[in-house]
Amino acid sequence: MADDIRTDDTDCEAAEFLYCTYITNKAKEEDVEEHGRRARYKSIIADDDDDGKNKKEIEKKSVARTKTATTTNAGPGPGPGPSANANVYNANAAKPKPRRRKYYKTKKRIQTTPLSTTTYEEDLQFLEKISPTRYRVNIGFVPNMKIHADVIVNDELEKLLLAELKEANDSQMNSASFIPALKQMANVAALPGIVKCLAMPDVHSGYGFCIGNVAAFDMDDAEAIISPGGVGFDINCGVRLIRTNLTEKDDIPAGVIVGTDEGTGTGTGDVNIRESLAQALFDHIPVGVGQDGVIPITESDVDDILSRGVDWAIENGYAWEEDKEFCEENGRMDTADASKVSAKAKKRGLSQIGTLGGGNHYAEVQVVDEIIDEAAATSMGITKVGQICIMIHTGSRGLGHQVATDALRKMDKAMARDGIKLNDRQLSCARIQSVEGQNYLAAMSAAANYAWVNRSCITYLARRAFEKVFDKTAEEMEMNLVYDVCHNVAKIEKHQVQVDPDDTDSLFQEKNLLVHRKGSTRAFPPNHPMIPTPYQNVGQPALIGGTMGTCSYILMGTKDGMHATCGSTCHGAGRALSRNASRKTLNKDDVLKYLKDKDISIRVANPKLVTEEAPESYKDVSAVVETCHDAGISTKAV
């Protein structure tokens, strides 16, 4: 995707952000203003709902919360709350026992292999450049490697990886607290049952597995494992793209004022259309860490969402029937089992449907700047430069995080029981066929279903916002879903695998693999049965989000990528600076001015943290995408 606003430092062939409702709030804002925002969300949705189907439920939910708040904050007198003498010191009162932190205990300790203390020069001996876009990490780089690991990277991005490795060695950071990405992917190549391990060009250090890791395990190998670290805490964090028949020139021109005194900038009815649209999206879509949603659901609904995915959203009027075809896995993983999701996780998910969350999650309006593959673009309904689209990036929220946390605790015990040996404790895992492995697969799949519904509900809210601003129906604006992809998931797939991965001439054999994609996107080739009918001749779209003020892309899956990467490609730019480093080195006012100068309207839950998502915090997304294109694992379309 692209627009006609181009950056000064990159050759943007894809979407530049017209504006974004960028979510960077790390702290829960529970002050009066925040409560006022929550009330405003409810009133906006109720006012917009012509048939009033949600109004009573929203009012009921609001009243229930008011009653709860009144009860728990009661003062002196009967009922909960402090007594009138609560502050009087009683010398005779028994001192409360100090609370003891609970530690998870196992009968056997988890076996880990101490990291080697090799020098940077010694590490380089195991790295081999096998093509202009592929580096190989050979067996021996870390202990116990079963197979080699490959990283898709060009010369410039390679420098970032090697600099991280050198810094870790020179400063003796190569410890449990920080492991560079190259070491992390090598540690993954040491896991039982692995048959393929590689990383995308947006790779950077993560929890256990590096971000950008693709790791496939043989389902027929009794020792093969499944690992929450290979999925991530935000299960099915993903991206969807919605197209429209609107254009930048005709519908959201820069700097134009509309209202009672059109073009003069005066008058009570005047408003900048971009600011109006930004505000409408911000008013309709709840944002920020800990933010509750406005779509009322019950405990029974949570179970249905976990089991049925997008089907629930369609039946309840939050998604269009045709949306289902254009979601990966049709918006529902059949391996899901809601009963394997803990009550605590379900409770966290009860109030967060239809919310973006924090970190790098966003809803943003984009404009097509360049169409590279006309046939692919046409199949997606993208037919002209200047066409307006909406990109949404979020996942399974607190529910997915809790599913991962619950599984890690149980897997520690399973590893001790089964004697699984790891290079890094953060690679906590269980045999795929064990009770713990199957339970996590079922719970993770259920959380993935929740994420698809979450993005569907945000789409519903975005459509409502557009209807309010443009005074047209979503159908009239042709706000159709182009595709929805996930980039934090593990799925059972069939792939051709070399019998001997270290012998390029060895034969291929079809295997059932459990493919972990963490910070990487599925990109299946043309004629694959798992992609929608309209895309059969061009391949599956892979949606690659950029950063604020830079570009985003649509890539298409290829046959070469299917063999080389299990049908995977990059997922975004990839961080170059940690969030902490971004906050220390960048100034929020400079970032906001940069966006304003580019005529980008922005709404954030906490402007102080906008530096975390500034372009300087990330790699060059164009370089990442060009590397994938040059490597042949996916091709540029828009």
Side-chain angles (χ1 to χ4, degrees):
M1 288 302 305
D3 80 52
D4 60 352
I5 304 170
R6 308 184 73 85
T7 59
D8 295 330
D9 55 346
T10 59
D11 179 18
C12 282
E13 295 176 314
E16 199 113 25
F17 306 130
L18 261 184
Y19 81 86
C20 54
T21 56
Y22 225 96
I23 315 311
T24 55
N25 184 15
K26 283 288 183 180
K28 295 181 180 179
E29 298 182 4
E30 298 295 338
D31 54 16
V32 175
E33 181 180 354
E34 180 69 13
H35 285 292
R37 270 182 49 75
R38 294 182 183 182
R40 188 165 73 255
Y41 288 137
K42 295 176 175 60
S43 64
I44 286 170
I45 301 304
D47 290 343
D48 285 350
D49 199 340
D50 294 335
D51 60 9
K53 82 171 196 176
N54 292 327
K55 192 168 184 178
K56 291 183 179 179
E57 292 161 306
I58 292 171
E59 288 174 349
K60 187 184 296 183
K61 188 176 180 181
S62 180
V63 170
R65 284 184 181 158
T66 303
K67 288 180 178 178
T68 303
T70 303
T71 302
T72 55
N73 292 321
S83 68
N85 298 319
N87 293 325
V88 177
Y89 175 69
N90 184 353
N92 297 321
K95 293 182 179 180
K97 294 182 179 180
R99 295 181 62 183
R100 298 182 63 185
R101 180 173 293 182
K102 295 181 179 180
Y103 292 94
Y104 194 80
K105 296 181 180 180
T106 59
K107 292 182 179 179
K108 293 174 64 178
R109 295 185 63 185
I110 297 171
Q111 300 180 56
T112 58
T113 302
L115 287 169
S116 59
T117 55
T118 55
T119 65
Y120 175 69
E121 289 71 23
E122 290 171 333
D123 282 343
L124 289 180
Q125 301 304 310
F126 293 94
L127 303 182
E128 175 187 4
K129 187 171 185 176
I130 60 176
S131 81
T133 56
R134 185 181 290 254
Y135 264 77
R136 176 155 295 170
V137 181
N138 287 306
I139 294 175
F141 186 62
V142 300
N144 307 317
M145 288 179 68
K146 310 287 192 300
I147 59 172
H148 64 254
D150 287 351
V151 55
I152 310 296
V153 65
N154 66 8
D155 291 340
E156 287 302 312
L157 297 172
E158 170 212 345
K159 292 176 183 176
L160 294 174
L161 274 179
L162 294 180
E164 181 188 67
L165 178 65
K166 188 175 190 305
E167 182 182 0
N169 280 327
D170 291 348
S171 62
Q172 297 184 343
M173 290 169 57
N174 195 11
S175 64
S177 60
F178 177 82
I179 301 176
L182 283 172
K183 294 278 187 179
Q184 285 190 319
M185 64 179 294
N187 286 336
V188 171
L191 291 171
I194 192 161
V195 296
K196 188 176 285 288
C197 180
L198 60 147
M200 298 296 113
D202 49 340
V203 60
H204 55 282
S205 182
Y207 180 89
F209 288 60
C210 57
I211 311 297
N213 218 160
V214 178
F217 297 83
D218 187 352
M219 292 289 295
D220 296 326
D221 186 337
E223 295 191 348
I225 60 91
I226 183 172
S227 174
V231 173
F233 283 88
D234 190 5
I235 296 168
N236 189 3
C237 179
V239 180
R240 65 168 43 195
L241 187 72
I242 303 141
R243 68 174 185 263
T244 74
N245 59 16
L246 307 176
T247 63
E248 179 188 20
K249 179 180 179 181
D250 296 335
D251 298 290
I252 54 170
V256 171
I257 304 297
V258 296
T260 55
D261 298 320
E262 185 172 348
T264 66
T266 62
T268 57
D270 294 353
V271 64
N272 181 294
I273 192 66
R274 295 190 182 192
E275 290 294 332
S276 177
L277 185 55
Q279 190 61 46
L281 285 168
F282 192 60
D283 287 341
H284 279 73
I285 302 171
V287 302
V289 172
Q291 179 63 59
D292 287 347
V294 297
I295 293 176
I297 62 173
T298 64
E299 292 180 1
S300 176
D301 287 329
V302 173
D303 283 332
D304 283 347
I305 289 168
L306 294 172
S307 300
R308 302 175 58 229
V310 168
D311 287 333
W312 179 92
I314 293 171
E315 287 186 10
N316 286 272
Y318 296 115
W320 295 353
E321 182 70 38
E322 56 267 32
D323 289 351
K324 178 178 179 179
E325 181 183 3
F326 296 96
C327 290
E328 189 173 329
E329 301 293 325
N330 288 324
R332 176 182 181 177
M333 289 182 67
D334 293 333
T335 46
D337 184 347
S339 70
K340 304 305 180 185
V341 178
S342 70
K344 186 174 182 180
K346 292 177 182 178
K347 183 178 179 181
R348 294 182 69 176
L350 184 62
S351 63
Q352 292 188 333
I353 277 292
T355 65
L356 277 170
N360 62 350
H361 294 167
Y362 56 79
E364 62 192 32
V365 173
Q366 303 178 337
V367 176
V368 175
D369 185 53
E370 182 179 0
I371 294 176
I372 302 164
D373 185 335
E374 190 169 341
T378 301
S379 72
M380 294 182 281
I382 297 173
T383 58
K384 53 194 171 187
V385 171
Q387 187 172 347
I388 294 171
C389 298
I390 305 103
M391 183 175 279
I392 295 168
H393 175 215
T394 190
S396 52
R397 305 288 280 108
L399 182 143
H401 193 285
Q402 191 62 48
V403 166
T405 301
D406 293 340
L408 287 169
R409 290 171 180 158
K410 295 173 182 176
M411 287 183 180
D412 282 353
K413 186 175 182 180
M415 286 192 299
R417 179 195 66 212
D418 296 338
I420 299 175
K421 192 173 183 179
L422 305 175
N423 286 353
D424 175 15
R425 189 176 182 129
Q426 289 185 355
L427 296 173
S428 184
C429 57
R431 310 281 189 214
I432 297 174
Q433 303 303 336
S434 69
V435 172
E436 294 83 2
Q438 288 295 298
N439 286 349
Y440 171 67
L441 179 60
M444 181 270 300
S445 300
N449 289 346
Y450 180 96
W452 275 307
V453 174
N454 188 36
R455 290 195 289 273
S456 295
C457 289
I458 292 173
T459 302
Y460 165 80
L461 297 171
R463 285 167 173 161
R464 299 292 291 274
F466 267 68
E467 288 175 338
K468 187 170 185 177
V469 171
F470 294 104
D471 197 25
K472 298 178 182 179
T473 66
E475 289 81 2
E476 289 174 329
M477 291 180 281
E478 298 178 359
M479 298 183 71
N480 299 96
L481 181 62
V482 173
Y483 206 58
D484 181 303
V485 295
C486 47
H487 47 236
N488 275 6
V489 75
K491 292 190 295 183
I492 301 171
E493 299 171 356
K494 290 184 181 295
H495 289 279
Q496 296 289 329
V497 179
Q498 282 187 308
V499 176
D500 183 357
D502 291 312
D503 181 2
T504 56
D505 296 325
S506 68
L507 298 176
F508 282 87
Q509 178 182 359
E510 185 175 82
K511 284 181 173 290
N512 285 323
L513 304 180
L514 183 64
V515 182
H516 295 64
R517 294 187 181 93
K518 179 181 181 180
S520 58
T521 308
R522 195 189 78 174
F524 279 179
N527 303 314
H528 194 284
M530 294 296 290
I531 62 178
T533 301
Y535 304 149
Q536 281 293 309
N537 293 330
V538 295
Q540 177 211 307
L543 310 174
I544 314 302
T547 62
M548 296 187 300
T550 67
C551 40
S552 299
Y553 289 83
I554 303 177
L555 305 181
M556 311 305 290
T558 66
K559 184 177 180 181
D560 287 345
M562 194 68 179
H563 289 297
T565 65
C566 290
S568 309
T569 191
C570 63
H571 86 301
R575 294 200 72 90
L577 294 176
S578 68
R579 297 188 185 280
N580 187 48
S582 296
R583 289 193 298 271
K584 288 182 177 180
T585 59
L586 302 176
N587 181 278
K588 92 174 165 60
D589 293 331
D590 291 341
V591 176
L592 293 174
K593 183 179 183 303
Y594 164 79
L595 297 173
K596 185 178 180 180
D597 290 345
K598 293 175 65 64
D599 201 24
I600 298 173
S601 299
I602 180 171
R603 299 293 186 275
V604 296
N606 185 351
K608 293 180 180 179
L609 298 179
V610 73
T611 54
E612 292 183 3
E613 305 307 322
E616 295 89 341
S617 300
Y618 286 84
K619 298 175 183 176
D620 179 359
V621 67
S622 294
V624 170
V625 166
E626 286 291 345
T627 303
C628 292
H629 181 87
D630 292 343
I633 63 174
S634 53
T635 58
K636 295 183 293 183
V638 183

